[in-house]
Amino acid sequence: MIIGVGIDVVEIARLERALDRTQDLAGRLFSEAERGLPMWSLAARFAAKEALAKALGAPRGLSWTDAEVVAGPDGRPELKVSGTVADAAARRGVRYWHVSLSHDGGFATAVVIAEGEPGTEGEPGTEGEPGTEGEPGTEGGAGADGGAGTEGAGGAGSGLGWV
């Protein structure tokens, strides 16, 4: 059963400017493995983290680095979740994640679908299993530059639960 769906769009150049302007932002948003990727890939991963949060209902207290987009055995993107994101997913009964990433024309997009059984303490799968360890997603992916309102990537001001 589908528990939640999230979608997000990120302007690649805006994310790049935000990362250039704020030296520690990449460390707050991306895992060590993600940080070495090209900008278009980082933007797609940030959009996926935003979409993941939306699929979870945007609970407070999620850590950006507790969600990571990894390549599955067949090359498709998969979500790997841990810590705060895995806990939030388990509380909602999420057992599987489905993620789609795209980039074109200076924008990156992501769609995340959370699947499981609502009202049950689901146990997210382990890394390497399709759709198991989730990717974060919250509203306003373009807000990685610390923009106002729900687009702020700083966490507390984003309104989507990221810290």
Side-chain angles (χ1 to χ4, degrees), residues 3-6 50-58 92 94 97 112-114 137:
I3 294 174
V5 176
E50 291 280 339
L52 177 140
K54 290 174 184 176
L56 288 175
R92 286 161 183 76
V94 176
W97 299 100
V112 171
I113 299 171

Side-chain angles (χ1 to χ4, degrees), residues 50 60 64 138-140 147-163:
E50 291 280 339
R60 297 251 176 235
W64 292 101
T138 62
E139 187 170 328
T150 59
E151 292 187 352
S158 73
L160 288 170
W162 294 100
V163 294

Side-chain angles (χ1 to χ4, degrees), residues 10-11 34 38 71 79-80 85 90 92 106 131 135 140-141 143 151-152 155:
V10 173
E11 182 182 2
E34 290 172 318
L79 293 171
K80 177 182 174 185
V85 176
R92 286 161 183 76
E135 174 177 331
E151 292 187 352

Side-chain angles (χ1 to χ4, degrees), residues 3-25:
I3 294 174
V5 176
I7 185 170
D8 199 67
V9 178
V10 173
E11 182 182 2
I12 298 168
R14 186 174 180 195
L15 177 64
E16 184 170 29
R17 288 190 305 269
L19 294 173
D20 287 344
R21 192 173 46 248
T22 307
Q23 291 304 312
D24 64 337
L25 185 58

Side-chain angles (χ1 to χ4, degrees), residues 70-87:
V70 298
D74 60 359
R76 292 187 307 168
E78 296 181 359
L79 293 171
K80 177 182 174 185
V81 299
S82 60
T84 59
V85 176
D87 291 344

Side-chain angles (χ1 to χ4, degrees), residues 36-52:
L37 297 170
M39 190 55 58
W40 55 265
S41 185
L42 287 177
R45 280 162 167 72
F46 183 70
K49 293 179 185 210
E50 291 280 339
L52 177 140

